[in-house]
Amino acid sequence: MPDAILGLSAFYHDSAAVLLVDGKIIAAAQEERFTRIKHDSAFPTNAARFVLDEAGLTLADLQAVAFYDKPYLKFERLLETYNGFAPKGISSFLSSMPVWIKEKLFMRRMLKEELAKLGTAKPRLLFPEHHLSHAASAFFPSPFQEAAILTVDGVGEWATTTICKGSGKDITILKELHFPHSLGLLYSAFTAFCGFKVNSGEYKLMGLAPYGIEGSAAVSRWKQAIYEQLIDVRDDGSMLLNMDYFNYATGLTMCQNAKWEALFGLAPRKPESEISQEYMDLALAIQQVTEEIVFKLAETAKKLTGCRNLVMAGGVALNCVANGKLIRSKAFDDVWIQPAAGDAGGALGAALAAHHIWRGAERTPDPADSMQGAYLGPEFDTVAIGRTIRKFNAVCTRYDDLTALCSTVADHLANGAAVGWFQGRMEYGPRALGNRSILGDPRHPEMQKKLNLKIKYREGFRPFAPSVLEEEIANYFELDRPSPYMLIVAPVAQSHRRPLPENYAGMSLYDRLYVVRSDIPAITHVDYSARIQSVSARTNKRYWTLINQFQKQHGCGLVVNTSFNVRGEPIVCTPEDAYTCFMRTNMDCLVLGDHLFLKEEQPKWDDQHDWQSEFGLD
């Protein structure tokens, strides 16, 4: 009988399911991809059914189901927090307690009821702590036999930051920082104050930061205000937040806005409003503070563990600007970051903790890692693609030869086309890594604007990532290692840069954005950086072949890669999702497996939807 363990995360945000068999990751997926509800927090029924089906197993075959945190400890934290801040927070208390008393407090029963929809068996339920799940997701799939483990997020049960040591099959927790003192929640508070949505807009805040004026009086003044009024950071990276300025412990918002306005001389930005230079400078200030704290925490992890390798998980580990600077600092011999670093990855960590810690299974690290490129979701064969073709009466050309297909697509890219690229198994985690991606030519000066405004329907300042042949990284970027999971920001090589105009500092945000600052402008951010994905023929032969063909034919060893979705929707999962997105945007081409679709050849849709007007971008 196989040693099969189902890992789950649910009921907060980014629900997911993962299946391990004898310690190997068989399948993993987020629930949002199936329900089409972004950051879906519901029990991952669809994802759990998928991972079981992928392995050909049922609930009766499972040794255990591992849930990614301990609900009773979280409830204890809520009660103690409300008691500690009383009488403040009564409205939040009254709104949250009925949900806890009715549902979350009886999580074991609720999980059993949900699992019963998948089968009649009753596998054992395990509840590793939230940050242990994060730590397990970071260490056990890593290539290291021994490593320091740093997990940083908003909050689990009590912990907001942990430092652990991983050795073989064991994880030892060495130090914890507890709620309400949280780097993740601090960053989320600035996300909210700058007009973005918490738990999804943190990427936007990070992308906005380079528009701040480094070394300016405003950034220096606001950093000083953060350190003097909002946080007390110790030499080891631990921190205390001045809770007089925050509302998240017992309220329904992140900040005490009146106090923040008095501190910064700046009102909270209204969502979707124009972004002034003040908010760009504030984004840069908190980004720099975050990086400084992460560096202190990493140094403490190194001292406590004596390890030369570091692994990371938790939502803050998705701050790829901080990651890139930490790696380039050479503080560690090597750094590995879990690609599903947020709560979705907690499902994987819970299952791995059950396998190695509860079951006591030994571990032999994979020299690369055991994430299989994060290509762990559903895949769809020619029959499934054929059903989509018939359903929409779509017009396409099928290629029997991969090189011929890639050659044709490479020419379309070089001619300025935006190409939907749908291949193989869907990615696990927040990044599209070449199987559910929209691609473009990075040399095209209008490509970033086209992808943001005409296809993604999102803010024009948002940067795009390059997918570069692993063999070509050093030719384009100041990076000395692969970056397969798009989790490292690094500078574009000097040889590809162009000088900025003399009046650059006085330009508006979008005027600065559209300055051609390199010969690969579509992926070069305003500070000459890029969030890099390296592509290996070992993990994704088809994607590598496309980029390699693009290099052979057009002399460029990278492409623009952004996730295959529009604003407000999850990344596409099925061929039907992909074709629908293709038809509702200004995408020029779509590739589903071996099938190439050109927009001008498709039948006219009667229900064509005006996405641009809906998002205020027409």
Side-chain angles (χ1 to χ4, degrees):
M1 185 175 182
D3 185 3
I5 297 172
L6 177 67
L8 301 174
S9 64
F11 306 128
Y12 300 101
H13 58 90
D14 295 310
S15 297
V18 175
L19 188 72
L20 300 184
V21 176
D22 297 328
K24 182 181 179 181
I25 309 169
I26 301 301
Q30 291 120 285
E31 184 69 4
E32 66 167 16
R33 308 293 171 83
F34 302 91
T35 63
R36 313 307 302 155
I37 300 170
K38 196 160 188 175
H39 304 300
D40 197 343
S41 62
F43 181 86
T45 303
N46 298 284
R49 185 174 288 118
F50 154 68
V51 298
L52 287 168
D53 288 347
E54 188 70 16
L57 301 178
T58 67
L59 281 184
D61 300 310
L62 300 179
Q63 271 62 59
V65 174
F67 188 73
Y68 80 134
D69 68 10
K70 289 183 179 293
Y72 282 114
L73 277 181
K74 187 165 286 189
F75 185 65
E76 174 191 86
R77 186 251 297 169
L78 289 173
L79 289 180
E80 290 194 21
T81 300
Y82 284 124
N83 181 62
F85 283 87
K88 291 194 298 184
I90 186 64
S91 59
S92 175
F93 177 82
L94 292 175
S95 67
S96 64
M97 282 304 106
V99 177
W100 271 94
I101 292 171
K102 182 180 178 182
E103 298 177 1
K104 294 181 180 179
L105 189 58
F106 303 100
M107 187 70 73
R108 184 179 295 272
R109 183 184 68 189
M110 187 161 61
L111 286 172
K112 288 181 178 179
E113 290 172 354
E114 294 291 346
L115 288 168
K117 299 174 184 177
L118 300 173
T120 57
K122 298 180 180 180
R124 181 164 183 170
L125 292 176
L126 304 173
F127 296 88
E129 288 189 25
H130 184 94
H131 271 259
L132 177 60
S133 294
H134 276 320
S137 78
F139 176 61
F140 291 134
S142 78
F144 311 132
Q145 181 65 26
E146 185 175 89
I149 308 171
L150 177 60
T151 66
V152 190
D153 67 359
V155 61
E157 297 86 4
W158 278 104
T160 63
T161 298
T162 64
I163 294 173
C164 308
K165 181 176 181 178
S167 181
K169 62 181 179 59
D170 299 315
I171 291 176
T172 304
I173 298 175
L174 302 175
K175 203 167 189 178
E176 288 187 340
L177 181 67
H178 284 179
F179 184 86
H181 310 294
S182 166
L183 179 57
L185 291 173
L186 173 68
Y187 201 84
S188 290
F190 277 87
T191 298
F193 191 77
C194 289
F196 304 120
K197 190 174 180 181
V198 172
N199 289 329
S200 62
E202 286 79 4
Y203 300 121
K204 300 179 185 181
L205 189 68
M206 184 179 67
L208 186 64
Y211 294 92
I213 301 173
E214 192 152 3
S216 67
V219 173
S220 298
R221 183 174 67 251
W222 283 341
K223 278 186 69 177
Q224 183 178 358
I226 292 168
Y227 278 125
E228 290 183 353
Q229 298 297 326
L230 296 186
I231 57 173
D232 177 12
V233 181
R234 311 298 169 85
D235 289 341
D236 64 358
S238 61
M239 56 187 285
L240 296 174
L241 296 186
N242 181 353
M243 294 309 296
D244 289 343
Y245 283 85
F246 299 91
N247 197 41
Y248 60 75
T250 56
L252 301 175
T253 58
M254 294 300 297
C255 316
Q256 295 285 359
N257 285 336
K259 289 182 178 289
W260 281 55
E261 189 169 347
L263 178 63
F264 296 117
L266 190 63
R269 175 179 164 265
K270 294 180 180 179
E272 308 301 329
S273 66
E274 183 179 351
I275 303 174
S276 66
Q277 186 62 49
E278 288 86 354
Y279 296 103
M280 304 176 214
D281 291 337
L282 192 60
L284 178 57
I286 188 57
Q287 176 63 33
Q288 290 180 352
V289 169
T290 299
E291 292 166 9
E292 289 163 10
I293 295 172
V294 168
F295 272 56
K296 289 178 183 289
L297 290 169
E299 187 60 35
T300 300
K302 184 178 179 180
K303 289 177 181 177
L304 288 175
T305 63
C307 294
R308 297 294 305 174
N309 295 315
L310 174 70
V311 298
M312 298 172 65
V316 176
L318 293 171
N319 192 308
C320 45
V321 177
N323 296 343
K325 291 181 179 179
L326 179 61
I327 288 169
R328 290 195 300 280
S329 75
K330 304 294 185 182
F332 291 86
D333 292 345
D334 205 355
V335 178
W336 190 87
I337 303 158
Q338 167 55 238
D343 275 9
L348 171 61
L352 288 166
H355 179 69
H356 292 293
I357 298 173
W358 177 64
R359 297 283 285 176
E362 296 295 333
R363 170 177 169 268
T364 302
D366 187 302
D369 63 47
S370 62
M371 289 298 296
Q372 303 162 53
Y375 305 113
L376 297 165
E379 62 181 328
F380 298 87
D381 60 14
T382 302
V383 174
I385 293 171
R387 284 196 291 267
T388 297
I389 294 169
R390 290 190 295 274
K391 177 174 181 176
F392 295 104
N393 195 28
V395 178
C396 65
T397 301
R398 182 177 179 182
Y399 288 76
D400 294 324
D401 180 73
L402 176 61
T403 301
L405 171 64
C406 291
S407 176
T408 302
V409 174
D411 286 340
H412 283 295
L413 288 169
N415 288 329
V419 178
W421 183 257
F422 181 103
Q423 303 289 334
R425 298 188 71 172
M426 182 178 66
E427 299 90 340
Y428 174 54
R431 311 291 194 219
L433 301 171
N435 279 5
R436 302 290 187 276
S437 294
I438 300 172
L439 311 178
D441 185 344
R443 303 166 301 175
H444 198 299
E446 294 292 314
M447 186 55 63
Q448 183 186 36
K449 182 186 291 187
K450 177 178 181 177
L451 291 175
N452 267 330
L453 302 183
K454 302 285 188 181
I455 294 171
K456 301 284 285 188
Y457 304 134
R458 69 184 195 182
E459 301 90 346
F461 72 84
R462 302 275 295 278
F464 288 109
S467 290
V468 59
L469 296 173
E470 186 175 85
E471 302 86 343
E472 296 292 325
I473 295 174
N475 291 335
Y476 291 96
F477 305 103
E478 295 178 4
L479 186 64
D480 62 356
R481 67 193 65 208
S483 175
Y485 300 118
M486 207 184 286
L487 288 169
I488 301 172
V489 164
V492 172
Q494 291 286 345
S495 59
H496 290 278
R497 299 187 188 186
R498 294 182 184 176
L500 299 175
E502 291 184 4
N503 63 337
Y504 179 78
M507 291 180 173
S508 69
L509 182 154
Y510 287 106
D511 286 337
R512 275 182 279 166
L513 172 65
Y514 297 127
V515 167
V516 177
R517 57 184 47 77
S518 80
D519 57 15
I520 41 176
I523 58 86
T524 303
H525 205 16
V526 291
D527 58 353
Y528 287 109
S529 69
R531 189 183 70 199
I532 299 161
Q533 180 205 358
S534 57
V535 181
S536 167
R538 299 184 305 278
T539 54
N540 197 329
K541 180 67 174 178
R542 293 179 74 87
Y543 194 34
W544 183 91
T545 300
L546 172 63
I547 303 171
N548 188 55
Q549 203 63 35
F550 188 60
Q551 182 182 46
K552 284 183 177 180
Q553 294 172 207
H554 302 287
C556 186
L558 67 156
V559 296
V560 180
N561 174 14
T562 187
S563 56
F564 200 149
N565 64 308
V566 296
R567 183 182 183 188
E569 290 189 355
I571 295 172
V572 299
C573 177
T574 67
E576 183 172 332
D577 295 337
Y579 187 81
T580 300
C581 185
F582 166 63
M583 290 297 292
R584 287 177 170 171
T585 67
N586 287 315
M587 221 178 301
D588 302 290
C589 310
L590 170 66
V591 182
L592 298 178
D594 296 323
H595 300 76
L596 173 62
F597 303 74
L598 303 180
K599 178 64 67 66
E600 66 267 19
E601 296 179 354
Q602 304 311 305
K604 188 74 174 176
W605 274 27
D606 294 331
D607 61 342
Q608 188 73 275
H609 191 75
D610 189 355
W611 289 94
Q612 288 180 296
S613 294
E614 178 169 316
F615 292 116
L617 295 165
D618 51 341

